[in-house]
Amino acid sequence: MKHLSVTKAEAFIAQALHANHVPLVDAKLVAQLMIQSDLVGADGHGIFRLPAYIKRIRAGGINLSPHIQIEREQGATALINGDNALGHLVMNRAVDVAIEKVKKHSVCWVGSHYGNHSGAASVYVRKLAEQGYIGIYMAVGNANHMAPWGGIDLLLSTNPIAIAVPAGDKPIVLLDIATTVAAYGKVKLAAQKGESIPDTWMIDRHGQPITDPQKSSEGSLLPIGGYKGYGLAVMIGLLAGALNNAAVGKGTIDFNAHHDLITNTGQTIIAVDPSAFGDQEQFVARVIALVDDLKASSKLPGVNQIRVPGDGAARVMAERLAHGIPISSELQESLNNCAKECGIAALDL
Amino acid sequence: MKHLSVTKAEAFIAQALHANHVPLVDAKLVAQLMIQSDLVGADGHGIFRLPAYIKRIRAGGINLSPHIQIEREQGATALINGDNALGHLVMNRAVDVAIEKVKKHSVCWVGSHYGNHSGAASVYVRKLAEQGYIGIYMAVGNANHMAPWGGIDLLLSTNPIAIAVPAGDKPIVLLDIATTVAAYGKVKLAAQKGESIPDTWMIDRHGQPITDPQKSSEGSLLPIGGYKGYGLAVMIGLLAGALNNAAVGKGTIDFNAHHDLITNTGQTIIAVDPSAFGDQEQFVARVIALVDDLKASSKLPGVNQIRVPGDGAARVMAERLAHGIPISSELQESLNNCAKECGIAALDL
């Protein structure tokens, strides 16, 4: 597989966005944040999304001159209005506000509405952990592919949650999960490749497992842990959607079907300062001790290595910073088609 | 089945605790909080636990004259030192501190260490939601019954999370889940009854499903959603254990095996004021709208009713307030044995 350096990838994205009237400073920032998703191996959330973002921009579904602002602010909380900007800009602002507020109050809760898809959740909590804070992120996903437990109607998204905990000079402990067994993107990928999917991923309207991804359109993704994951998806929908006066449930816009409609994506960031609870170094030592104990566990037959949330991402990041981002031939084609549309040079691979 | 009124249940617990030198005011408060677990149907967390609590008290494992205090306080955060009190007293104090702080800062994060088992997590977040706040609770469980994903060593507990969202005069939307598919108590109950357990609950040291609960002692509970639930358990362990300088991982004391050792239970409460993000009534209306939409979903064959987190608890609470708490003959015997030990009157059923 070919590899694209981070510098070239960022430049390509920034050019494409700028060619579509995204101001250069915004285009560069979005490019840099998009590549953060690729760097941690969240391949469905980085440069892969560029053609979809461009499609939305060209359809008028994004405000290219947004006035992202703090709409309400009270104590250690803030509500940001993203003014339908590219989601990365909104979340970048949310992280900045969170850092300001956590410095002052030791904890803060920053909600946002009128945002958009902003890549992997991990990108934003990682920024907090890099500065020594614990970060939690929750979002309402941009398409409903899950029914309530026992139901058929697709009223819920995969509503992800990410949590990052700093670990000194060791990899940040970082969990970034959807509340469904599989992301819908994985189903679509299997359909593209003509592969079947495991019978634990989706059910049809009769409650039977779907294994042919071509039949996924009316099916429901299954939540992790049955009613437990369903419950988590509901609660995240309330905390990131209803609380922020953002879309949730029936109000959710399918961003793959409607490129021109305002998604009013809701996202929430919580930051907390570990030093408010005791010595930061001792805290980090306790984090590392737990990580080391977990990794040193005896292994099940056939298991080579025990993983801890975030160490896979750290390994991928080191590899990709050194060797670039792998670009499949399908992705190369898709990005070069996009380049042609935007009137910019093809990928330099 | 016989039923015990709330008044009688509380009086019985308070008498039993007081007979074991728990100050009367504390005994009454713990009794009232214990019964809150029974009221929502968390039968393994209420009066059922009294004999175990008494055993721990008699073994010297609980400080009966605790000085529960705020050990650190900074901005919108606090760390409570529970001084090894009965866990309910520690969490009750944590909720009081959280309410004070959320009024001032709109959000707060209150951690605690040197606590103990304090009943169902839902009890404490419900208190916050009853006052119009969103509540989140996380805890390190009091015994390790889960291995890291891919591992064998039992290093993690079922680390629960509870989230409550106020819904006006409708039932509080409330999720209270362990991060394992099943609680270990359910495994023990099946063993008692001589029943088998589903093959999705536990695996043995070779990675094979355990269906005979008699063979559970060396097995590992399975996390919800595989590595996702494992990751959640790790992160909750860090946020409720490591952050609060409480026990986690190898440091966790098995409270069923060691009645005299200080458990140093770690718990965390986050409270947030929805009115900081917009009009409270409009928020509640959005919560109710999502709940109503979910409940109105078309149903899978064989499903009578779509449930939303918290509505089962609300129904059970109404029933039990009216008709009392169901007491099985086994529970009656266990409580009457406990009464005899404490030198108090048997249950008046």
Side-chain angles (χ1 to χ4, degrees), chain A residues 11-303:
Chain A
F12 180 82
I13 294 174
Q15 274 189 307
L17 292 172
H18 188 48
N20 287 281
H21 313 296
V22 176
L24 194 57
V25 60
D26 288 351
K28 285 183 173 176
L29 178 56
V30 172
Q32 185 250 318
L33 289 166
M34 280 174 67
I35 292 304
Q36 296 296 309
S37 290
D38 290 295
L39 280 178
V40 295
D43 294 340
H45 285 287
I47 195 168
F48 169 85
R49 297 264 177 173
L50 180 65
Y53 294 159
I54 298 284
K55 201 166 182 178
R56 174 164 294 274
I57 290 170
R58 293 167 88 95
I62 293 287
N63 181 356
L64 302 182
S65 312
H67 181 45
I68 302 171
Q69 60 179 316
I70 296 180
E71 189 179 303
R72 294 178 73 105
E73 190 172 22
Q74 189 174 298
T77 63
L79 175 65
I80 291 174
N81 187 322
D83 199 17
N84 196 33
L86 282 162
H88 304 72
L89 301 176
V90 182
M91 279 302 95
N92 188 64
R93 178 66 181 277
V95 168
D96 285 349
V97 171
I99 288 173
E100 258 176 58
K101 286 204 167 279
V102 72
K103 279 185 182 159
K104 193 165 166 193
H105 302 284
S106 296
V107 61
C108 68
W109 182 302
V110 178
S112 67
H113 60 165
Y114 296 105
N116 279 291
H117 186 269
S118 56
S122 69
V123 172
Y124 305 99
V125 288
R126 183 178 297 279
K127 278 176 173 290
L128 292 167
E130 280 169 352
Q131 301 211 22
Y133 304 112
I134 291 168
I136 302 177
Y137 169 99
M138 293 175 277
V140 181
N142 287 120
N144 287 339
H145 290 295
M146 182 160 68
W149 190 243
I152 295 174
D153 300 350
L154 302 180
L155 290 165
L156 292 166
S157 184
T158 54
N159 298 356
I161 181 168
I163 306 174
V165 171
D169 54 2
K170 297 294 174 85
I172 290 166
V173 187
L174 199 163
L175 181 76
D176 179 359
I177 56 169
T179 45
T180 48
V181 175
Y184 194 65
K186 285 193 178 180
V187 177
K188 288 196 294 185
L189 197 67
Q192 244 180 35
K193 293 184 176 175
E195 294 171 354
S196 63
I197 56 174
D199 63 3
T200 51
W201 285 14
M202 294 194 84
I203 53 171
D204 66 19
R205 295 175 64 86
H206 307 287
Q208 299 304 310
I210 292 176
T211 53
D212 177 358
Q214 307 288 354
K215 294 178 180 164
S216 71
S217 67
E218 289 227 320
S220 170
L221 289 174
L222 283 168
I224 55 170
Y227 73 93
K228 292 187 176 186
Y230 155 59
L232 266 179
V234 173
M235 303 317 290
I236 294 171
L238 293 175
L239 300 187
L243 181 63
N244 297 332
N245 201 3
V248 66
K250 283 186 177 169
T252 301
I253 302 295
D254 183 342
F255 68 161
N256 287 312
H258 305 285
H259 298 279
D260 55 332
L261 298 182
I262 294 174
T263 65
N264 188 10
T265 302
Q267 289 146 311
T268 289
I269 286 179
I270 306 167
V272 63
D273 182 357
S275 72
F277 298 84
D279 181 82
Q280 177 96 3
E281 280 184 28
Q282 288 176 20
F283 166 66
V284 165
R286 291 193 295 271
V287 172
I288 293 172
L290 180 63
V291 166
D292 286 348
D293 286 347
L294 293 169
K295 289 169 86 88
S297 165
S298 305
K299 297 168 194 69
L300 285 171
V303 172

Side-chain angles (χ1 to χ4, degrees), chain B residues 1-9 35 38-39 43 316-327 349:
Chain B
M1 191 162 326
K2 291 177 184 169
H3 287 73
L4 184 68
S5 75
V6 169
T7 317
K8 285 185 182 175
I35 291 305
D38 290 294
L39 280 178
D43 293 340
V316 172
M317 192 186 277
E319 272 171 31
R320 295 189 175 183
L321 280 172
H323 306 297
I325 297 155
I327 305 286
L349 272 170

Side-chain angles (χ1 to χ4, degrees), chain B residues 95-111:
Chain B
V95 168
D96 285 349
V97 171
I99 289 173
E100 259 174 58
K101 286 204 167 280
V102 73
K103 278 185 181 158
K104 193 164 166 193
H105 302 284
S106 296
V107 62
C108 67
W109 182 302
V110 178

